[in-house]
Amino acid sequence: MRLSQRMARLGTETAFEVLVRARALEAKGKSVVHLEIGEPDFDTPAHICDAAVAALASGATHYGPSAGLPELRAAVAEDSTRRRGVRATPEMVVVTPGGKPIMFFAILALVDEGDEVLYPNPGFPIYESMIRYIGGTPVPVRLLEEKGFELDVDQLCGRVSNKTRLIILNYPHNPTGGTIPESGLRAIAAAAAKFGVPVLSDEIYARLLYAGQHTSIAAMPGMEPLAMILDGFSKTYAMTGWRLGYGIMPAPMAQAIAKLQTNATSCSATFSQLAAVEALRGDQSSVDRMVAEFQRRRDVIVNGLRAIPGFECVRPKGAFYVFPNITGTGFSARALADRLLDEAGVACLSGTAFGEFGEGHLRFSYATSMENIDEALKRIKAMVTDA
Ligand SMILES: Cc1ncc(COP(=O)(O)O)c(C=O)c1O
């Protein structure tokens, strides 16, 4: 079969490819420590699973509305108003199978061929993949390692113009764990409002923040008609396999996204959605416990990496990734990631999997046990010291 020309422009998420390579090595008997995939190693809290079981037992096994079940849209709107300080109504909420489709649908709904889209680089690879796929022009904005991987807000604001159709932000950020301070969000909001540019604000790691409060750009003056928040259940509630996320945006845009959803998937799984209502309205202590544990692991991995010759490591403020600078080792990022997997049995990602500005870095996910982190640190140190 001959693929369409646009397929040549589609990128991918390397984490899934590295996982396959690592599993192949394991099948041959090699021990591998997995620091490549970005998902909590915790189980979904029991009260959420119980709600799904009750939903199944009560017959929630049929199609639902494309935009999501009214109960969940109401719970998301309530949560946004209370926790984010962003006033939302159920009509502004669209529920999707994971947060990822919000990216795809928002870019599809807004971007025409040749339109410019600003996005963080290094950044989640699907942004650039989707921009290119749709025929948009990706305009990367750097992160400043010397400022804890904050987005270069001056660079971003300088690049907003009449050609800009969309700005994509992600904070806390994958792959660096950096954030954007409120002053930066305010400046970006002013630039977006000046040119009337929508902002897709990927806040999937909003609850995984180790200091301070998360502030959304949607709460900034002038952003009400322009902000689209992406969030979901995968990371906060350890629900990656449930495939459930959502967007919060002006109601007409929510209708457009729901129409795309009707064309693509019809709707999200109904019993997952009823469990998600429990996730938002029920006991939140499991989230606090998980965040406290991630913070403990973050400190161990940062201190461990800093002790490896040639590594420098910024202490991330959120999410569960570290993005050490490895230029001092003399290896390229890709070469070191490959050798760590093949020779040392440590699966991680090359920084270049997140865009060209990721060169000189590796990404490790510390959403794994402390034993695995200790073992990985030992293996990395031994490999780098012997090389
Ligand atoms: C920055 C970012 N946004 C969105 C997602 C999508 O998550 P999901 O589709 O599982 O909700 C991820 C997952 O890794 C991510 O890292």
Side-chain angles (χ1 to χ4, degrees):
M1 275 181 227
R2 192 167 57 79
L3 296 176
S4 68
Q5 287 178 4
R6 84 174 79 79
M7 277 301 284
R9 302 199 298 263
L10 192 65
T12 190
E13 208 182 328
T14 312
F16 289 101
E17 289 170 11
V18 173
L19 180 64
V20 170
R21 276 179 59 205
R23 292 263 185 258
L25 288 172
E26 286 175 311
K28 287 190 202 146
K30 189 167 174 77
S31 146
V32 177
V33 184
H34 290 272
L35 302 184
E36 76 279 41
I37 275 280
E39 69 168 343
D41 55 321
F42 298 95
D43 291 331
T44 305
H47 65 106
I48 301 174
C49 295
D50 291 346
V53 171
L56 282 167
S58 71
T61 54
H62 299 273
Y63 289 131
S66 288
L69 291 177
E71 301 91 307
L72 182 55
R73 295 175 81 194
V76 168
E78 234 173 64
D79 180 74
S80 168
T81 307
R82 187 165 37 89
R83 198 186 305 283
R84 276 202 173 78
V86 176
R87 280 234 317 278
T89 60
E91 297 71 39
M92 295 166 64
V93 176
V94 194
V95 179
T96 44
K100 227 178 195 177
I102 294 291
M103 262 169 232
F104 190 9
F105 293 160
I107 295 170
L108 262 178
L110 289 169
V111 178
D112 282 311
E113 291 218 357
D115 286 342
E116 292 188 356
V117 182
L118 306 187
Y119 68 104
N121 185 322
F124 192 53
I126 301 304
Y127 306 141
E128 186 176 331
S129 167
M130 293 318 314
I131 299 163
R132 286 190 189 283
Y133 183 68
I134 283 159
T137 304
V139 181
V141 180
R142 275 180 183 275
L143 288 104
L144 301 172
E145 185 166 11
E146 65 278 16
K147 288 179 80 180
F149 287 117
E150 278 177 18
L151 188 74
D152 187 343
V153 171
D154 290 340
Q155 189 184 51
L156 183 142
C157 292
R159 290 188 171 178
V160 183
S161 74
N162 290 326
K163 292 194 214 133
T164 314
R165 204 49 197 101
L166 180 64
I167 297 169
I168 302 177
L169 304 177
N170 174 216
Y171 51 102
H173 178 259
N174 176 9
T176 66
T179 57
I180 307 174
E182 197 171 324
S183 56
L185 293 174
R186 225 171 258 285
I188 297 169
K194 183 170 162 203
F195 290 92
V197 180
V199 177
L200 174 62
S201 182
D202 184 341
E203 302 179 21
I204 198 100
Y205 298 104
R207 299 277 295 275
L208 305 182
L209 192 63
Y210 305 115
Q213 275 289 319
H214 174 78
T215 306
S216 172
I217 193 162
M220 300 294 139
M223 287 311 288
E224 212 171 302
L226 294 173
M228 306 173 71
I229 294 172
L230 179 161
D231 202 343
F233 300 89
S234 291
K235 319 285 177 179
T236 307
Y237 299 102
M239 289 174 71
T240 46
W242 298 67
R243 304 315 300 134
L244 212 56
Y246 55 83
I248 306 172
M249 61 200 79
M253 187 66 193
Q255 279 171 16
I257 300 283
K259 194 168 170 187
L260 281 164
Q261 169 121 298
T262 306
N263 278 266
T265 66
S266 296
C267 63
S268 308
T270 38
F271 53 91
S272 285
Q273 292 188 62
L274 290 171
V277 173
E278 172 61 24
L280 289 175
R281 293 206 172 131
D283 181 13
Q284 302 294 306
S285 57
S286 60
V287 182
D288 299 335
R289 276 198 301 277
M290 192 174 72
V291 173
E293 178 58 20
F294 282 149
Q295 184 166 359
R296 224 165 59 86
R297 296 175 188 178
R298 175 199 66 167
D299 291 338
V300 168
I301 198 163
V302 167
N303 295 341
L305 289 172
R306 284 177 176 174
I308 295 173
F311 276 58
E312 287 170 29
C313 190
V314 166
R315 193 175 301 273
K317 296 193 177 77
F320 39 58
Y321 309 108
V322 274
F323 202 63
N325 184 321
I326 52 90
T327 43
T329 64
F331 287 103
S332 74
R334 183 64 204 265
L336 187 55
D338 284 346
R339 286 189 66 169
L340 283 173
L341 177 58
D342 296 331
E343 294 171 27
V346 176
C348 66
L349 301 184
S350 162
T352 49
F354 300 90
E356 71 261 41
F357 299 147
E359 184 49 270
H361 297 79
L362 296 178
R363 190 197 79 169
F364 297 100
S365 161
Y366 52 86
T368 187
S369 68
M370 203 64 102
E371 297 74 52
N372 281 342
I373 292 170
D374 285 337
E375 178 60 26
L377 287 167
K378 252 190 254 150
R379 292 183 186 193
I380 301 165
K381 192 168 195 170
M383 205 224 92
V384 171
T385 315
D386 291 349

